[in-house]
């Protein structure tokens, strides 16, 4: 395990990809899995629909890249990867492992930009990372989502974003 590179005076608000409240949450149905090259928890993800026929079931897969609106947030609470003790921790869920993708609820997320309550959340189309801006704004390389900022913070901080079902 690597030596910490920084320390903070106060405890973090939460961990990206974790539920922020006990309000209801809805998750993607069936048994989705991480797509090719895996998926990073605590980021937005896009779905590739699986096939279901009488002989084989190929589950929906999720990636941190895509076009259009993302399907949801990859929950960090679903990570069940077993690491060797000499490896560093990671938020990467390997390809083929099950994932929980939140479609609604209140979630801790890390923001690339300064965030204020009421702003819209934008998903980076190539990484699934979060940026924030006023509704209707343009954020280069990102798409405006249906999520809004509930509790803001500085760039690189953990914030709370929400979407009701």
């Amino acid at each position: 395990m690597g030596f910490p590179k920084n320390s903070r005076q106060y405890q973090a608000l939460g961990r990206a990809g974790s539920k922020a409240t006990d309000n209801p949450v809805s998750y993607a149905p069936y048994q989705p899995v991480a797509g090719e090259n895996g998926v990073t928890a605590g980021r937005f993800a896009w779905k590739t629909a699986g096939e279901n026929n009488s002989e084989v079931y190929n589950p929906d897969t999720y990636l941190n890249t895509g076009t259009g609106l993302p399907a949801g947030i990859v929950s960090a609470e679903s990570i069940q990867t077993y690491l060797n003790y000499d490896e560093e921790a990671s938020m990467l869920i390997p390809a083929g492992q099950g994932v929980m993708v939140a479609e609604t609820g209140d979630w801790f997320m890390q923001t690339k930009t300064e965030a204020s309550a009421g702003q819209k959340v934008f998903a980076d189309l190539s990484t699934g990372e979060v940026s924030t801006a006023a509704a209707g704004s343009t954020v280069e390389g990102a798409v405006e989502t249906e999520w809004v900022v509930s509790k803001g913070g500085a760039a690189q901080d953990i914030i709370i974003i929400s979407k009701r079902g």
Side-chain angles (χ1 to χ4, degrees):
M1 179 179 286
F3 191 78
K5 294 179 177 69
N6 59 39
S7 62
R8 299 192 182 199
Q9 183 175 3
Y10 302 104
Q11 182 175 345
L13 180 62
R15 179 176 68 150
S18 296
K19 291 190 321 184
T21 68
D22 287 332
N23 286 334
V25 173
S26 63
Y27 294 97
Y30 310 113
Q31 298 173 343
V33 297
E36 185 178 356
N37 299 322
V39 66
T40 301
R43 294 186 181 177
F44 281 104
W46 286 261
K47 176 174 89 168
T48 301
E51 297 176 22
N52 188 5
N53 61 42
S54 61
E55 296 179 20
V56 66
Y57 173 69
N58 182 13
D60 296 338
T61 59
Y62 287 82
L63 296 171
N64 295 123
T65 61
T67 58
L69 288 176
I73 296 167
V74 180
S75 172
E77 297 170 359
S78 65
I79 299 176
Q80 297 178 0
T81 304
Y82 297 98
L83 300 171
N84 293 327
Y85 288 110
D86 61 345
E87 292 180 353
E88 292 199 26
S90 172
M91 296 291 277
L92 181 68
I93 301 172
Q97 288 223 354
V99 295
M100 292 171 46
V101 179
E103 297 174 338
T104 63
D106 302 315
W107 292 86
F108 291 116
M109 297 290 280
Q110 185 174 20
T111 178
K112 293 178 8 179
T113 58
E114 185 173 333
S116 299
Q119 286 184 315
K120 291 294 278 189
V121 175
F122 290 75
D124 187 300
L125 296 168
S126 61
T127 64
E129 293 176 293
V130 168
S131 297
T132 64
S137 297
T138 300
V139 175
E140 188 175 340
V143 63
E144 183 176 338
T145 70
E146 298 170 329
W147 297 77
V148 296
V149 176
S150 298
K151 180 172 178 45
Q156 303 306 318
D157 276 356
I158 299 294
I159 62 172
I160 298 175
I161 67 172
S162 301
K163 179 183 171 192
R164 301 289 174 242

